[in-house]
Amino acid sequence: MIQTINLQKLFATEEVETTALNGINMEVKDGEFVAIMGPSGCGKSTLLNILGLLDNPSEGEYNFYGTEVAKMTERQRAQLRKGSIGFVFQSFNLIDELTVYENVELPLLYLKTPADERKKRVEEALERMSIMHRRNHFPQQLSGGQQQRTAIARAVVAKPKLILADEPTGNLDSKNGEEVMKLLGELNEEGTTIIMVTHSPYDAGFAHRIVNLFDGKVVTENFHV
Ligand SMILES: Nc1ncnc2c1ncn2[C@@H]1O[C@H](COP(=O)(O)OP(=O)(O)O)[C@@H](O)[C@H]1O
Ligand SMILES: [Mg+2]
C-alpha cells in the first residue's frame, strides 16, 4: 500500500543545509505494524511527516495505494490526510479550547459527516478508548494517558486505513504507555496499518517489523515472527 523510492529530504536554512533523509526505500503492506527506530535526529519524524502527507520530499517517489503522491492535487492530498490517515503524536496535539468530545469530533466535521452519524462515531470512539466519562473535560484537565487516549480516539474516528504514531508513549508513564500500545495493537489486529516511531524496544515489540534508521538511511530491518 505504501512504497517509497529513493526518498530524500533536504532542509536548507541560511546557515546550514541538512540532509534529513538520504535515499529511503521502504514498503509497507496493508495490515502491517512497522516500528521505526534510530537515534535522535536521524530523520524519523521527517519520514513520518512525508508518509502522512504533512510534508513533501525533496526528491524521490512516494506511492500511496498505487498513486504517486507528487502527482496528486493538493485537494486530493488533503482528502487523504483527512479520511485515510490518522495521526498520534508524542505531545498529544489536542486543541486546548475544545472538549474531549469536540476534539474527537473535529475530523468528522472536516469530512462533513452528517450530525447523527457523527454523534454515533464519536461516542463509539470515546467508549472504545475508555474516555467517555471525560467527554466534557478540556485537555488540560486530563492526565497524560487520558489525553493520549483522546488523541487516539481522534485518530481513529474517521476509520483510517493507516495510523502514523510519532513516539506515542514518549510522554507517558509505563502503565499508561502500555495501555496505549495495547490499543494500537488491537487496532492493528482489526486491520489498521500502523507505522510508529519509537525509542522503546518494548514498544517496538508490538510491531511485526522494525526499520532502523541512521543518518537518513535505512540500515537494518528486523522481522518478528
Ligand atoms: N523544519 C526543519 N528545518 C530544518 N531542519 C530540520 C527540520 N526538521 C528536521 N530538521 C533536521 O533534520 C534532521 C532529522 O530530524 P527529525 O526527522 O526530526 O529526526 P528524529 O525524529 O529522528 O529525531 C535533524 O538534523 C533536524 O535538525
Ligand atoms: Mg522525532
Side-chain angles (χ1 to χ4, degrees), residues 100-101 104 121-137 142-154 156 175-176 179-180 182-184 186-187:
V100 164
Y101 187 97
V104 175
R121 294 260 208 113
V122 173
E123 287 177 354
E124 218 172 81
L126 293 174
E127 287 285 0
R128 177 82 205 269
M129 298 303 149
S130 312
I131 195 74
M132 193 61 155
H133 61 300
R134 292 283 184 268
R135 56 184 288 164
N136 294 322
H137 283 59
L142 304 176
S143 72
Q146 291 169 336
Q147 289 188 57
Q148 196 60 305
R149 296 210 307 274
T150 304
I152 298 175
R154 179 184 58 183
V156 300
K175 182 174 159 288
N176 282 298
E179 206 170 311
V180 160
K182 281 191 177 145
L183 288 167
L184 291 175
E186 280 170 29
L187 291 166

Side-chain angles (χ1 to χ4, degrees), residues 48 86-90 148 151-152 155 163-168 180 184:
L48 213 66
F87 295 92
V88 180
F89 301 94
Q90 176 175 2
Q148 196 60 305
I152 298 175
I163 290 183
L164 299 174
D166 197 346
E167 303 191 39
V180 160
L184 291 175

Side-chain angles (χ1 to χ4, degrees), residues 40-41 43-46 90 166-167 197 199:
S40 182
K44 303 180 299 295
S45 295
T46 303
Q90 176 175 2
D166 197 346
E167 303 191 39
V197 167
H199 280 294

